[in-house]
C-alpha cells in the first residue's frame, strides 16, 4: 500500500539496550477509515512469536491493560478460534471488551515460513454486552509474521 505516513519510530522496549526499532504509520482511506501499521524485527523464532500473538495465556502477559482473555471455541493450534477479551482502561476512558473470531494461516513466502493471524469482531450469545463496559468493534486486525532466519522474525500489525 502506498501513501503511509510515519507516526512514530521508537525502541520496541524503551530503556533496553539494542532494543529493535518499532515503526508506526497511518493511512487514510477516503470514505472509509484510518488504518495503522506497526512493523519491527524481533530476535526470536517465528513459532514463539506466533504463539505469543495467538495463545490467550501468552497474550495476557504482553497486551497492555488486558484483564481477561477467554478461549470460547476452537484453538489457535487448529487455525481457528473464538475469544473474549476485556480491557481495564484508565479514566476517563471506559473499560472495553470484545468478542473475536481469529484465524491462523501458515505458509511459505519467498521460501521462508510465514504466519498470518486475522482478528475480527463478532457477536456471540454467551458473551453479551455488559453495562460496565463498552463493546468494542474491530473490523479487522492482521498480524503478518515473516521468518527472516532461525533467530529473527519480521512482524507487521495492521489495524
Amino acid at each position: 500500500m502506498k501513501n503511509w505516513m510515519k507516526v512514530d519510530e521508537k525502541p520496541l522496549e524503551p530503556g533496553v539496550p539494542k532494543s529493535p526499532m518499532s515503526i508506526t504509520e497511518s493511512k487514510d482511506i477516503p470514505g472509509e477509515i484510518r488504518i495503522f501499521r506497526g512493523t519491527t524485527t524481533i530476535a526470536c523464532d517465528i513459532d514463539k512469536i506466533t504463539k505469543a500473538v495467538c495463545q490467550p495465556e501468552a497474550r495476557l502477559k504482553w497486551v497492555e491493560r488486558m484483564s481477561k482473555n477467554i478461549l470460547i471455541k476452537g484453538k489457535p493450534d487448529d487455525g481457528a478460534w473464538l475469544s473474549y477479551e476485556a480491557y481495564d482502561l484508565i479514566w476517563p476512558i471506559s473499560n472495553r471488551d470484545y468478542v473475536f473470531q481469529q484465524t491462523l494461516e501458515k505458509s511459505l513466502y519467498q521460501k521462508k515460513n510465514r504466519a498470518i493471524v486475522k482478528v475480527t469482531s463478532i457477536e456471540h450469545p454467551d458473551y453479551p454486552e455488559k453495562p460496565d463496559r463498552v463493546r468494542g468493534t474491530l473490523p479487522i486486525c492482521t498480524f503478518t509474521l515473516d521468518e527472516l532466519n532461525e533467530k529473527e522474525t519480521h512482524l507487521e500489525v495492521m489495524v
Side-chain angles (χ1 to χ4, degrees):
M1 289 187 188
K2 296 180 181 181
N3 303 322
W4 287 97
M5 279 186 11
K6 187 182 281 188
V7 175
D8 197 10
E9 182 172 3
K10 62 183 179 185
L12 188 60
E13 296 180 275
V16 175
K18 298 183 180 178
S19 176
M21 295 304 287
S22 173
I23 299 169
T24 305
E25 301 168 297
S26 72
K27 179 179 179 177
D28 288 322
I29 299 176
E32 291 186 32
I33 195 168
R34 174 173 289 162
I35 58 177
F36 289 90
R37 173 174 72 179
T39 57
T40 192
T41 298
I42 301 171
C44 190
D45 75 74
I46 191 170
D47 291 331
K48 286 182 182 177
I49 300 296
T50 302
K51 182 177 180 178
V53 168
C54 296
Q55 296 291 339
E57 323 78 57
R59 288 178 54 76
L60 273 169
K61 293 178 182 177
W62 69 268
V63 177
E64 287 186 55
R65 304 189 189 283
M66 182 187 287
S67 59
K68 288 185 184 176
N69 191 327
I70 300 169
L71 190 60
I72 300 170
K73 182 180 177 184
K75 52 187 176 179
D77 290 341
D78 292 340
W81 66 103
L82 305 180
S83 65
Y84 169 83
E85 295 182 6
Y87 295 81
D88 293 338
L89 304 176
I90 57 172
W91 184 89
I93 301 169
S94 300
N95 292 335
R96 302 271 190 271
D97 69 354
Y98 300 83
V99 180
F100 291 132
Q101 175 178 310
Q102 300 182 65
T103 60
L104 169 61
E105 299 170 8
K106 293 182 177 183
S107 63
L108 289 178
Y109 176 72
Q110 297 179 352
K111 299 182 182 179
K112 304 238 178 180
N113 290 318
R114 170 177 265 188
I116 298 176
V117 180
K118 293 181 182 175
V119 183
T120 305
S121 289
I122 62 167
E123 292 182 18
H124 193 284
D126 295 342
Y127 291 87
E129 292 186 32
K130 298 179 179 184
D132 64 332
R133 294 189 178 273
V134 173
R135 177 55 52 94
T137 302
L138 182 64
I140 185 70
C141 174
T142 304
F143 294 83
T144 303
L145 298 93
D146 286 311
E147 177 183 63
L148 299 177
N149 56 53
E150 291 180 2
K151 297 181 181 180
E152 288 185 304
T153 302
H154 184 264
L155 172 64
E156 174 185 90
V157 181
M158 209 175 310
V159 180

